[in-house]
Amino acid sequence: MASLLNIVSVSPRTSPSSYATNFHSRHLLAPIFSLSFTRRRITIRAAENDGNEADEPNKENKTGSSFNQLLGIKGAAKETNKCKIRLQLTKPVTWPPLIWGVACGAASSGNFHWDFEDVAKSIVCMMMSGPFLTGYTQTMNDWYDREIDAINEPYRPIPSGAISENEVITQIWLLLLGGLTLAGILDIWAGHSFPTIFSLAVGGSLVSYIYSAPPFKLKQNGWIGNLALGASYISLPWWAGQALFGTLTADIIFLTLLYSIAGFGVGIVNDFKSIEGDRAHGLQSIPVAFGAETAKWISVGAIDITQLLIAGYLAGAGKPYHALALLVLIVPQVIFQYQYLLKDPEKYDVKYQASAQPFLVLGMLVTALASCR
């Protein structure tokens, strides 16, 4: 899936008609016991045309950044090292929100202590949520988006043919099974009679699958898809961190689901870069369905109004100082929205995410501390 605070931003340069694919449709779950490990290459090549348009993806690869390649963001250099390619598929830039969510859950539990065991538990939970399950989600999303990426990001590993089909599918399974294994270990470590964390991991993995894969492909609908994305990137890791050290409560579920609406707004920011490809493949993202001008106001409204509601909730719950701190953190977000997001969401999405989102996630921590019992 596309990630919550993913700061990837790629402006389409070529039309959908300029690409041809040699893909054959294939269900991801079908080959679980019959994977062939031959190095079949997946390629999407630019069609011949007048001028140099077809050469632009290669040009971007040659002049791209190795650092961007490792993070999995735009401007990536062309890479032949398979380990680096695999890392790029997991988009490390999308791990921090999940890791932060676990930290917020641990903080809101009120039972986290700065000793070796609790820190070790937290690190394992962050590894489960970030590199493993988010890596699984991102790799799978790239797999099912390979034709769209041929339009929006043709230099990415799968559409460029830098990695084989079997290698991609194997990576998806290894990351998924690794994440679920860590979830089971955490339940045992925490002494749970019911496998709470494992259940959350399974649920999140299922949501990730139906978000990206047919026949459901939730991302085809901007409303449902972005809400599922927000819940996966905010609520689930928060719940996992809370369950690891305490118990889930009704107020935490309420607050995190509200933050998931803010995550819905952030997800819209990531859709602006993919309007051309989404439209070509029938994905009704918010910018495609409503147009960029309306979509950016929907994004701003979801992000800001949600946080104002949470601040009001905290004030009503007898946490006025936490509510005030949250209000203070909303101010710079609004400033950056007017400076970047509302000005040109496609051009300035990276700058907006980098400048505004730290204040959003700090607000999450303030809320977690306010909820600490």
Side-chain angles (χ1 to χ4, degrees), residues 46-294:
E48 294 295 332
N49 55 37
D50 294 331
N52 296 322
E53 291 181 10
D55 295 331
E56 286 209 12
N58 290 331
K59 180 180 179 182
E60 186 160 1
N61 286 336
K62 291 177 181 178
T63 61
S65 163
S66 296
F67 181 71
N68 287 9
Q69 190 273 333
L70 289 176
L71 289 180
I73 64 178
K74 77 170 185 176
K78 186 174 182 179
E79 185 58 66
T80 57
N81 183 292
K82 199 53 64 73
C83 291
K84 292 182 179 180
I85 291 172
R86 290 185 180 279
L87 183 63
Q88 183 182 2
L89 284 174
T90 67
K91 291 186 181 176
V93 75
T94 65
W95 301 350
L98 285 293
I99 293 172
W100 188 259
V102 171
C104 289
S108 64
S109 73
N111 295 319
F112 175 82
H113 302 92
W114 287 100
D115 56 33
F116 177 81
E117 183 176 8
D118 281 5
V119 170
K121 284 181 183 178
S122 298
I123 292 173
V124 173
C125 194
M126 290 172 180
M127 290 290 294
M128 174 199 73
S129 300
F132 279 92
L133 293 184
T134 306
Y136 147 78
T137 298
Q138 293 295 344
T139 305
M140 181 176 60
N141 188 64
D142 268 21
W143 168 253
Y144 282 110
D145 275 0
R146 57 195 184 272
E147 294 180 4
I148 296 175
D149 284 344
I151 299 171
N152 296 320
E153 302 178 82
Y155 49 83
R156 286 196 60 78
I158 297 176
S160 69
I163 188 168
S164 71
E165 176 180 345
N166 286 331
E167 288 171 323
V168 175
I169 294 174
T170 300
Q171 174 164 321
I172 291 171
W173 279 107
L174 288 176
L175 290 171
L176 172 61
L177 295 177
L180 295 179
T181 300
L182 289 180
I185 291 172
L186 286 170
D187 276 318
I188 296 172
W189 199 349
H192 292 162
S193 56
F194 178 82
T196 308
I197 299 175
F198 182 80
S199 298
L200 291 171
V202 170
S205 301
L206 179 60
V207 170
S208 297
Y209 178 75
I210 64 176
Y211 173 83
S212 298
F216 298 102
K217 205 172 181 68
L218 299 181
K219 66 186 300 180
Q220 291 183 116
N221 183 296
W223 295 102
I224 298 175
N226 280 355
L227 283 172
L229 189 68
S232 297
Y233 271 74
I234 294 180
S235 296
L236 289 177
W238 191 317
W239 295 351
Q242 176 116 5
L244 184 59
F245 297 102
T247 57
L248 285 175
T249 58
D251 58 335
I252 287 297
I253 293 175
F254 172 73
L255 289 170
T256 53
L257 288 177
L258 275 181
Y259 266 116
S260 296
I261 298 176
F264 162 83
V266 176
I268 295 174
V269 178
N270 295 321
D271 289 335
F272 287 105
K273 73 179 187 298
S274 305
I275 292 176
E276 184 179 350
D278 289 347
R279 184 181 290 116
H281 288 272
L283 271 65
Q284 290 298 304
S285 65
I286 300 298
V288 170
F290 295 94
E293 189 66 26
T294 300

